[in-house]
Amino acid sequence: MKKIVLLASVILLMTHLGFAQENASGIKEDFQPSTLNQPGKEYPMVNSQGYARFRVEAPDAKAVSVSLGLGGRGGTVLEKAEDGFWMGTTAGPLDEGFHYYHLTIDGGVFNDPGTQNFYGSTRWESGIEIPAHDQDFYALKNVPHGKVQQVLFYSESTQSVRRAFVYTPPCYGKDQNKKYPVLYLQHGWGEDETAWSVQGHANLIMDNLIADGKIEPFLIVMTYGMTNEIKFGSGLGNFDIKQFQTVLVDELIPYIDKHFSTLANKDNRAMAGLSMGGMETKMITLNRPEVFSHYALLSGGVYAPSDIKDKSQVKLIFLSCGSRENPDGIKKATEELKNAGFNAVGYISENTAHEFLSWRRSLYQVAPLLFK
Amino acid sequence: MKKIVLLASVILLMTHLGFAQENASGIKEDFQPSTLNQPGKEYPMVNSQGYARFRVEAPDAKAVSVSLGLGGRGGTVLEKAEDGFWMGTTAGPLDEGFHYYHLTIDGGVFNDPGTQNFYGSTRWESGIEIPAHDQDFYALKNVPHGKVQQVLFYSESTQSVRRAFVYTPPCYGKDQNKKYPVLYLQHGWGEDETAWSVQGHANLIMDNLIADGKIEPFLIVMTYGMTNEIKFGSGLGNFDIKQFQTVLVDELIPYIDKHFSTLANKDNRAMAGLSMGGMETKMITLNRPEVFSHYALLSGGVYAPSDIKDKSQVKLIFLSCGSRENPDGIKKATEELKNAGFNAVGYISENTAHEFLSWRRSLYQVAPLLFK
């Protein structure tokens, strides 16, 4: 008995020291609950290599799979264990950062009861977080924290009360006379106004940048870009930006400038968006060049020099994407803009795809460049 | 063909006029999507009588049921239709207001992909809303709206960054010198700091009361009451309130008084809680009589006159519950408090149980009584 306890202690110690056991497939058995799990839930788990492991209770089900991982056709098929739980591990490591996923159980799509839900793909999806080597920049730390304020504003054009979230920095309100620049920051297709502060940690990225003295504080405004109304892949050229443009430019901006201490002018107003929010950013900044001075497209296309009639109207163009997307396209567009005399900055997020770690990093990169 | 179109039009018209068809069970066929459904989702639906109807895709499942309704053993068993969708209607009408629920699919517990998730029972649950005849008081209207502000505060005692939500009224910040009273408002067991503004619509209740001139504006602070750590029904007498009491009274209150324009004194500080949050309210108000002057327990027990050492320390005791809970207990306790010379008010929410409509109504009732 003593020997067994000793052996167990040695294994435990080795695990703690990083000598995790590897199984036959080379998968380290150092799995930990994902940081996004519901309180008290052990699964889904992730290991230090980025593998994800799932465990789902559905003892009478015929088939359970996970829409994530490198197993056949883009998913991970779970196997029923003796205890009636369905288990499985991704065939390979996942990219660092946040991933949406769901379960397919007997032909129906459901969420994993182990983890929290995040609005993406026009539905509340399960989410899992693979710890990134550079996660410190969006970590929740004991630094002064700003607020994320939910505002409800009336939109005359849509005859509806609409929601936005406003990040205000820690110092906001302390000096009543101080006014701040504003970044209008859009989510992607199938997401909503919750995405940037929840999946994106925009508030924590700002808190940390401010605590480190790397940026001058500004506000971030996030609202719903009406992207759910767009059928994905159905030809975005036909998308009519006018309705959202009216809500954003003619209704929300005046509301924000009235209710917050803002520098209410073009020089102190930026617009950025990820994916389809980038497309919206491009359309709106070009349609209304008098409103924004700083533009950023995160995995959301590029500007050509010919898109912009008056070069002097634009102070910054920031273009980014993950290295697994179209980095050459971003680099080429950035060079062309620079050659045409624009202040253009390109950024490639290493080893990430069309996912939130690319966009967290992009926000971290672009924030220090704004309002200079 | 013409006749069929005409007939269909007449039926449609009758439905619109309220002449909904009744089926053999007396169920009116005027079902509409629940207001809490995910964008674009038709099911779950509710009808004008309060019946709920569910439709779930899981073509290869053996059994699907819903933890809601009056069918055998407290749930509704769904039947598989020809199209592979599982459907079912509650055996009777549900009470008005908000209900948590989940699906059981082949022995596992999952959420309904048709509706949004709400944190209750220590997990993110599905939710459905049965329109209440008095829903106007918490409706989203075109009135001035306050904000719900997410704050992150450092707690020395738990060595953690913790979250709270602060409702600030529409006028907050306009007059920089104006200071406001504060209500500390706690959720129930298995819920968290999101419950009161999401399920409870506390912000909309306040916005509407203020727009109607029925109350003087005050702030509401909502934080996590650590109730998940308590095993439900395992003897609450052993519950140690000290950890949460320290976070609330010694850490959060000073943070709020530092970062918001508050009247930082006992006369302008109230505490209320629903269910287990009521138990916490009772314990903390009695342990720390120097902190709060107004107490409210919503489906959360009662005070006996002997609980309170110094009557002059308490300005108001509000006790409430749903009529399907223990209304006689509330009435009796209120009478005893009144007879002992306390300013006590009892309120019974008609035709509701231990659910959020009881608590929305209770907040609506107690708000005008605070800080007089």
mmCIF file of all heavy atoms in Angstrom, chain A residues 120-135:
data_model
loop_
_atom_site.group_PDB
_atom_site.id
_atom_site.type_symbol
_atom_site.label_atom_id
_atom_site.label_comp_id
_atom_site.label_asym_id
_atom_site.label_seq_id
_atom_site.Cartn_x
_atom_site.Cartn_y
_atom_site.Cartn_z
ATOM 1 N N GLY A 120 -22.812 32.893 -31.830
ATOM 2 C CA GLY A 120 -22.066 32.847 -33.083
ATOM 3 C C GLY A 120 -22.840 31.985 -34.066
ATOM 4 O O GLY A 120 -23.622 31.126 -33.647
ATOM 5 N N SER A 121 -22.626 32.179 -35.378
ATOM 6 C CA SER A 121 -23.347 31.398 -36.395
ATOM 7 C C SER A 121 -24.852 31.532 -36.259
ATOM 8 O O SER A 121 -25.591 30.575 -36.506
ATOM 9 C CB SER A 121 -22.977 29.904 -36.323
ATOM 10 O OG SER A 121 -21.602 29.727 -36.217
ATOM 11 N N THR A 122 -25.325 32.669 -35.839
ATOM 12 C CA THR A 122 -26.758 32.970 -35.604
ATOM 13 C C THR A 122 -27.405 32.058 -34.568
ATOM 14 O O THR A 122 -28.624 31.902 -34.550
ATOM 15 C CB THR A 122 -27.618 32.936 -36.897
ATOM 16 O OG1 THR A 122 -27.838 31.578 -37.286
ATOM 17 C CG2 THR A 122 -26.971 33.709 -38.036
ATOM 18 N N ARG A 123 -26.610 31.426 -33.727
ATOM 19 C CA ARG A 123 -27.182 30.664 -32.616
ATOM 20 C C ARG A 123 -26.235 30.730 -31.422
ATOM 21 O O ARG A 123 -25.066 31.051 -31.572
ATOM 22 C CB ARG A 123 -27.445 29.201 -33.019
ATOM 23 C CG ARG A 123 -26.205 28.383 -33.318
ATOM 24 C CD ARG A 123 -26.538 26.956 -33.772
ATOM 25 N NE ARG A 123 -27.247 26.191 -32.761
ATOM 26 C CZ ARG A 123 -26.647 25.468 -31.800
ATOM 27 N NH1 ARG A 123 -25.341 25.371 -31.732
ATOM 28 N NH2 ARG A 123 -27.360 24.806 -30.913
ATOM 29 N N TRP A 124 -26.777 30.440 -30.246
ATOM 30 C CA TRP A 124 -25.938 30.318 -29.062
ATOM 31 C C TRP A 124 -25.215 28.985 -29.145
ATOM 32 O O TRP A 124 -25.852 27.938 -29.129
ATOM 33 C CB TRP A 124 -26.782 30.431 -27.785
ATOM 34 C CG TRP A 124 -27.212 31.845 -27.570
ATOM 35 C CD1 TRP A 124 -28.376 32.427 -27.995
ATOM 36 C CD2 TRP A 124 -26.472 32.881 -26.926
ATOM 37 N NE1 TRP A 124 -28.390 33.757 -27.661
ATOM 38 C CE2 TRP A 124 -27.246 34.064 -26.995
ATOM 39 C CE3 TRP A 124 -25.224 32.934 -26.291
ATOM 40 C CZ2 TRP A 124 -26.808 35.283 -26.458
ATOM 41 C CZ3 TRP A 124 -24.796 34.141 -25.758
ATOM 42 C CH2 TRP A 124 -25.584 35.295 -25.841
ATOM 43 N N GLU A 125 -23.892 29.055 -29.259
ATOM 44 C CA GLU A 125 -23.060 27.871 -29.457
ATOM 45 C C GLU A 125 -22.254 27.587 -28.190
ATOM 46 O O GLU A 125 -22.012 28.474 -27.381
ATOM 47 C CB GLU A 125 -22.054 28.136 -30.586
ATOM 48 C CG GLU A 125 -22.658 28.147 -31.969
ATOM 49 C CD GLU A 125 -22.368 26.866 -32.748
ATOM 50 O OE1 GLU A 125 -21.189 26.594 -33.037
ATOM 51 O OE2 GLU A 125 -23.328 26.146 -33.053
ATOM 52 N N SER A 126 -21.781 26.357 -28.078
ATOM 53 C CA SER A 126 -20.808 26.029 -27.039
ATOM 54 C C SER A 126 -19.472 26.668 -27.396
ATOM 55 O O SER A 126 -19.193 26.932 -28.566
ATOM 56 C CB SER A 126 -20.624 24.515 -26.950
ATOM 57 O OG SER A 126 -21.836 23.900 -26.591
ATOM 58 N N GLY A 127 -18.657 26.902 -26.366
ATOM 59 C CA GLY A 127 -17.332 27.468 -26.602
ATOM 60 C C GLY A 127 -16.279 26.745 -25.790
ATOM 61 O O GLY A 127 -16.550 26.201 -24.716
ATOM 62 N N ILE A 128 -15.066 26.690 -26.341
ATOM 63 C CA ILE A 128 -13.936 26.094 -25.633
ATOM 64 C C ILE A 128 -12.730 26.994 -25.855
ATOM 65 O O ILE A 128 -12.620 27.641 -26.897
ATOM 66 C CB ILE A 128 -13.667 24.648 -26.120
ATOM 67 C CG1 ILE A 128 -12.686 23.926 -25.196
ATOM 68 C CG2 ILE A 128 -13.188 24.626 -27.571
ATOM 69 C CD1 ILE A 128 -12.602 22.425 -25.462
ATOM 70 N N GLU A 129 -11.851 27.045 -24.854
ATOM 71 C CA GLU A 129 -10.685 27.928 -24.932
ATOM 72 C C GLU A 129 -9.415 27.087 -24.823
ATOM 73 O O GLU A 129 -9.214 26.369 -23.846
ATOM 74 C CB GLU A 129 -10.747 28.953 -23.790
ATOM 75 C CG GLU A 129 -9.635 29.971 -23.770
ATOM 76 C CD GLU A 129 -9.842 31.155 -24.731
ATOM 77 O OE1 GLU A 129 -10.999 31.488 -25.038
ATOM 78 O OE2 GLU A 129 -8.824 31.719 -25.166
ATOM 79 N N ILE A 130 -8.581 27.145 -25.855
ATOM 80 C CA ILE A 130 -7.264 26.519 -25.807
ATOM 81 C C ILE A 130 -6.288 27.592 -25.350
ATOM 82 O O ILE A 130 -6.107 28.609 -26.046
ATOM 83 C CB ILE A 130 -6.839 25.983 -27.197
ATOM 84 C CG1 ILE A 130 -7.941 25.116 -27.825
ATOM 85 C CG2 ILE A 130 -5.517 25.232 -27.096
ATOM 86 C CD1 ILE A 130 -8.299 23.869 -27.060
ATOM 87 N N PRO A 131 -5.680 27.427 -24.158
ATOM 88 C CA PRO A 131 -4.836 28.508 -23.630
ATOM 89 C C PRO A 131 -3.749 28.894 -24.633
ATOM 90 O O PRO A 131 -3.040 28.032 -25.153
ATOM 91 C CB PRO A 131 -4.230 27.889 -22.364
ATOM 92 C CG PRO A 131 -5.190 26.818 -21.966
ATOM 93 C CD PRO A 131 -5.731 26.269 -23.256
ATOM 94 N N ALA A 132 -3.639 30.181 -24.894
ATOM 95 C CA ALA A 132 -2.647 30.670 -25.856
ATOM 96 C C ALA A 132 -1.361 31.025 -25.119
ATOM 97 O O ALA A 132 -1.391 31.449 -23.962
ATOM 98 C CB ALA A 132 -3.193 31.886 -26.592
ATOM 99 N N HIS A 133 -0.230 30.871 -25.814
ATOM 100 C CA HIS A 133 1.058 31.171 -25.163
ATOM 101 C C HIS A 133 1.151 32.653 -24.795
ATOM 102 O O HIS A 133 1.879 33.027 -23.894
ATOM 103 C CB HIS A 133 2.221 30.762 -26.084
ATOM 104 C CG HIS A 133 2.343 31.621 -27.302
ATOM 105 N ND1 HIS A 133 1.541 31.457 -28.419
ATOM 106 C CD2 HIS A 133 3.156 32.674 -27.572
ATOM 107 C CE1 HIS A 133 1.861 32.370 -29.334
ATOM 108 N NE2 HIS A 133 2.838 33.113 -28.845
ATOM 109 N N ASP A 134 0.390 33.492 -25.486
ATOM 110 C CA ASP A 134 0.430 34.944 -25.229
ATOM 111 C C ASP A 134 -0.847 35.440 -24.557
ATOM 112 O O ASP A 134 -1.211 36.612 -24.676
ATOM 113 C CB ASP A 134 0.669 35.695 -26.553
ATOM 114 C CG ASP A 134 -0.410 35.387 -27.613
ATOM 115 O OD1 ASP A 134 -1.176 34.407 -27.418
ATOM 116 O OD2 ASP A 134 -0.473 36.111 -28.614
ATOM 117 N N GLN A 135 -1.527 34.558 -23.802
ATOM 118 C CA GLN A 135 -2.829 34.926 -23.242
ATOM 119 C C GLN A 135 -2.762 36.026 -22.187
ATOM 120 O O GLN A 135 -3.795 36.583 -21.798
ATOM 121 C CB GLN A 135 -3.521 33.692 -22.648
ATOM 122 C CG GLN A 135 -2.765 33.065 -21.487
ATOM 123 C CD GLN A 135 -3.428 31.791 -20.984
ATOM 124 O OE1 GLN A 135 -4.635 31.698 -20.919
ATOM 125 N NE2 GLN A 135 -2.626 30.805 -20.651
#
